[in-house]
Amino acid sequence: MANRDATARIQPRKQDLEDAYAPPANFLEIDVLNPETHGIGNKRFTDYELRMRTNLPIFRVKESCVRRRYSDFEWLRGELERDSKIVVPPLPGKALSRQLPFRGDDGIFEEDFIEDRRQGLEQFINKIAGHPLAQNEKCLHIFLLEPVIDKNYVPGKVRLT
């Protein structure tokens, strides 16, 4: 009979309101917001604010706020594809047809396009950052935490100290 007790299922305890509304044990929240368009003519670009909050021990900083361009997201995707073992999701499209000259609208600087791209970038970064193997990659930490991306960094894993 002792063997049967060793393999018996543990009965879960009922969740009370305090448990239900308490902060989660581990969380990682990343919001992509406040798009801003800079420059004039063919030197225009849009960047986005990334706000991160976490209590995961792998991140040395628990809250950060940085600004990133679409090309920075492309850099992160390329680094992860080259150096990690995860399947990296696609980024929202480049919208090449919106970049053609002589359009009657603002192309990639239209509010609707910027909002669609913002949502796509937010989905992308949350999928990446939610992956346990990606959370150990230096490039993700640089992307989320450093004000300026050092593209000459040495790829590798982040270690808990």
Side-chain angles (χ1 to χ4, degrees):
M1 229 10 163
N3 192 19
R4 186 177 179 147
D5 290 337
T7 60
R9 293 187 181 262
I10 297 172
Q11 293 300 317
R13 67 181 183 87
K14 291 272 189 207
Q15 186 179 37
D16 61 19
L17 283 176
E18 193 169 310
D19 290 338
Y21 292 99
N26 287 321
F27 71 91
L28 174 62
E29 299 170 353
I30 302 171
D31 296 317
V32 177
L33 22 95
N34 299 330
E36 290 181 8
T37 300
H38 308 272
I40 55 172
N42 64 354
K43 301 286 186 210
R44 285 171 80 183
F45 66 91
T46 301
D47 65 7
Y48 304 84
E49 181 179 320
L50 266 75
R51 279 195 205 150
M52 182 202 71
R53 290 183 51 234
T54 188
N55 66 354
L56 295 174
I58 193 70
F59 291 94
R60 62 180 165 73
V61 176
K62 301 308 177 193
E63 290 188 25
S64 73
C65 183
V66 295
R67 294 202 71 82
R68 296 289 181 247
R69 298 172 63 161
Y70 183 84
S71 58
D72 297 328
F73 284 87
E74 289 179 313
W75 171 83
L76 175 63
R77 186 171 196 282
E79 293 297 302
L80 289 169
E81 282 183 329
R82 187 184 73 214
D83 296 325
S84 74
K85 304 283 188 256
I86 68 169
V87 176
V88 183
L91 281 164
K94 286 282 287 183
L96 296 175
S97 64
R98 286 187 165 268
Q99 297 177 34
L100 296 172
F102 311 116
R103 288 181 53 99
D105 62 9
D106 260 352
I108 62 171
F109 302 106
E110 288 277 318
E111 280 186 34
D112 290 344
F113 175 75
I114 289 172
E115 176 57 20
D116 289 346
R117 179 173 271 183
R118 184 201 65 73
Q119 290 175 7
L121 294 174
E122 187 170 86
Q123 286 177 347
F124 169 80
I125 194 61
N126 277 290
K127 282 181 186 175
I128 294 288
H131 195 293
L133 294 177
Q135 291 171 1
N136 294 323
E137 296 292 333
K138 270 190 193 174
C139 59
L140 179 65
H141 286 248
I142 290 170
F143 183 83
L144 292 174
L145 304 175
E146 301 297 329
V148 176
I149 294 176
D150 176 9
K151 297 190 178 174
N152 297 318
Y153 83 108
V154 177
K157 307 289 183 217
V158 173
R159 304 277 182 236
L160 285 174
T161 53

